[in-house]
Amino acid sequence: MGHLTATRPVQPWTAPTASDPVAATLRLPGSKSMTARALVLSALANGPSTLAGPLRARDTELMAGGLRALGPHISTADDERWLVRPHRLVGPAHVDVGLAGTVMRFLPPVAGLAEGRITFDGDPAVRARPLGPLVGALRSLGVRIDAAGPGSLPLAVQGAGRVTGGEVVIDASASSQLVSGLLLAAARFDHGLVVRHQGPPVPSAPHLRMTVQMLRAAGAAVDDGTPDVWAVEPGPLSGRGWEIEPDLSGAVPFFAAALVTGGEVTLQGWPRSSMQPVEQLRSLLHRMGGEVRLGTDGLTVRGTGSVHGLDADLSDVSELTPVLTALAMLADSPSRLTGVGHIRGHETDRIAALAREFGALGADISESADGLEIRPRPLRGGTFRTYADHRMAHAAAVAGLAVPGVELDDVACTSKTMPEFPALWSGMVTGKS
């Protein structure tokens, strides 16, 4: 179980500084969260499915590869349309999770439905990401799991071809993915599943709502009417066509560029009704000085020439913390970002990393247990370490718009969710796409 991903090449990069307001219309890749869930639901369905506009990035390639290893046929030859044909789930197999929380947490429940031994491991840093509650929940359902530590990678699932299901109690305060992973496979359990969360609030509630919506779209009966309880009835999942929305989290640094430079950025292809937390984003950007409009041409954010500080609980949208921190550095008043203690267990300890790296650029920033306090003052250029974390790279790029000489030690980490990021970003800033 010591299999590890090959070392990814490191790519230093100097973030471009904007001399003029940005003016860009972009078509960004699909949502990572929707692509990952659609792949899992399609692999467990009773017929073929297609994914239109999926995200091709490291996390989603690893998800497709992990599912392929278990038996389903997944064709990703066409960038715009992936095809999934279900197949009996069998081992032995190895799943490389890379640094992807979705793969690490969504596929062990699927492996419980397979026949044979399925091993899981990934990049060294992934071994520190929270997984124990999921392992405990699966064991309580009778799934045999061999783990090297207290519920962390590497591990092996000895699949029996079926999971009885029933009811589990889990503390999912570290990640909503711990619940989503169980729910996505639950309709295939003999008796379905009831998941009860006990503990501090589950973060990233919009991601859980997305899981429930997509399960229902695949034909599952899901009851989420009681707070912190999710019940999935046993039954078949239907193959279908999935229309993957543009990735809202991936769009946030580009929208932030509109605020920093007093420019305008439009994300094309945005649906009128979204599974992603667009209303929360609209409110946050408006409070920081942006104007947000959803029209026939897409989702547009326009800067007003100034950036305002923000006092906000980001527990539902914690993925936005790094970029909002960068905006707060450039604001005209202090900011306090709270409710994101769980991001200490993301790709890196994001709270500590943001405080450390922006502090090295001269920022007045301090950590709290569950967030950050920022008191704006002039920043200077320097090396910004990304810790192999795509969101850290996004934050540095936003700061670099206004601060010359911000040098990322590695921009290639953005390949986790958007391999095109450096080119798209430079094209937006220079006006040469």
Side-chain angles (χ1 to χ4, degrees):
M1 289 191 293
H3 179 99
L4 291 177
T5 304
T7 302
R8 175 182 51 76
V10 171
Q11 182 184 345
W13 187 69
T14 300
T17 302
S19 54
D20 297 298
V22 300
T25 298
L26 305 169
R27 183 170 289 276
L28 294 186
S31 159
K32 178 191 80 168
S33 299
M34 287 189 70
T35 302
R37 285 161 175 77
L39 283 170
V40 174
L41 292 170
S42 299
L44 295 175
N46 58 6
S49 297
T50 55
L51 279 67
L55 171 67
R56 182 185 294 279
R58 189 181 185 221
D59 277 16
T60 53
E61 292 275 19
L62 288 167
M63 182 68 83
L67 289 165
R68 273 194 208 102
L70 297 176
H73 171 77
I74 301 177
S75 172
T76 60
D78 183 343
D79 282 344
E80 295 303 316
R81 193 173 186 84
W82 291 0
L83 173 65
V84 182
R85 294 188 183 277
H87 192 274
R88 188 167 66 94
L89 302 173
V90 294
H94 177 74
V95 175
D96 177 4
V97 311
L99 197 54
T102 48
V103 182
M104 179 177 77
R105 297 177 182 127
F106 291 3
L107 293 195
V110 177
L113 293 164
E115 296 178 13
R117 184 177 176 85
I118 316 298
T119 58
F120 292 80
D121 203 1
D123 296 3
V126 82
R127 295 178 174 182
R129 300 195 70 177
L131 187 61
L134 178 66
V135 172
L138 289 172
R139 283 174 170 161
S140 75
L141 294 171
V143 178
R144 181 181 158 194
I145 299 179
D146 302 322
S152 59
L153 294 177
L155 60 78
V157 176
Q158 189 64 46
R162 57 185 289 270
V163 177
T164 303
E167 184 169 329
V168 293
V169 177
I170 186 172
D171 179 355
S173 57
S175 173
S176 65
Q177 291 174 354
L178 298 166
V179 175
S180 287
L182 290 166
L183 298 182
L184 288 168
R188 290 286 305 274
F189 295 174
D190 293 349
H191 301 297
L193 186 66
V194 176
V195 180
R196 297 182 184 276
H197 163 70
Q198 288 186 357
V202 180
S204 303
H207 284 100
L208 272 174
R209 288 195 290 272
M210 178 187 291
T211 297
V212 170
Q213 286 178 275
M214 293 184 70
L215 273 164
R216 288 174 176 154
V222 187
D223 181 355
D224 63 345
T226 302
D228 290 335
V229 180
W230 302 265
V232 181
E233 295 291 328
L237 297 171
S238 301
R240 53 160 291 158
W242 295 100
E243 297 285 338
I244 307 299
E245 299 174 9
D247 194 296
L248 187 65
S249 295
V252 170
F254 296 91
F255 290 153
L259 270 68
V260 171
T261 67
E264 183 172 295
V265 172
T266 296
L267 173 60
Q268 290 182 318
W270 193 258
R272 301 298 299 184
S273 177
S274 172
M275 290 190 185
Q276 299 178 82
V278 66
E279 288 306 319
Q280 289 98 317
L281 176 63
R282 184 199 300 263
S283 172
L284 290 165
L285 293 180
H286 177 74
R287 290 165 61 189
M288 297 195 84
E291 295 178 356
V292 185
R293 175 180 57 83
L294 178 59
T296 55
D297 53 346
L299 189 64
T300 298
V301 176
R302 188 176 73 84
T304 55
S306 59
V307 180
H308 309 313
L310 182 70
D311 189 334
D313 179 340
L314 302 180
S315 55
D316 274 359
V317 288
S318 60
E319 286 284 309
L320 310 186
T321 305
V323 166
L324 294 183
T325 299
L327 277 176
M329 298 289 161
L330 307 173
D332 56 14
S333 58
S335 293
R336 188 169 71 99
L337 308 178
T338 60
V340 292
H342 61 284
I343 70 172
R344 292 186 181 277
H346 280 201
E347 283 80 344
T348 188
D349 178 340
R350 284 180 174 165
I351 292 175
L354 288 165
R356 185 182 306 119
E357 297 310 310
F358 278 119
L361 302 184
D364 183 359
I365 179 171
S366 56
E367 300 178 48
S368 66
D370 75 336
L372 293 159
E373 294 191 11
I374 301 112
R375 294 157 291 275
R377 66 186 186 190
L379 302 181
R380 58 178 177 269
T383 299
F384 189 103
R385 292 178 294 172
T386 61
Y387 305 88
D389 186 340
H390 55 148
R391 305 297 182 203
M392 290 291 292
H394 295 164
V398 170
L401 291 168
V403 182
V406 175
E407 299 177 358
L408 285 68
D409 69 340
D410 177 26
V411 76
C413 62
T414 56
S415 65
K416 177 178 168 66
T417 50
M418 193 186 298
E420 312 92 329
F421 178 79
L424 283 171
W425 189 261
S426 296
M428 175 190 67
V429 177
T430 62
K432 301 173 183 176
S433 54

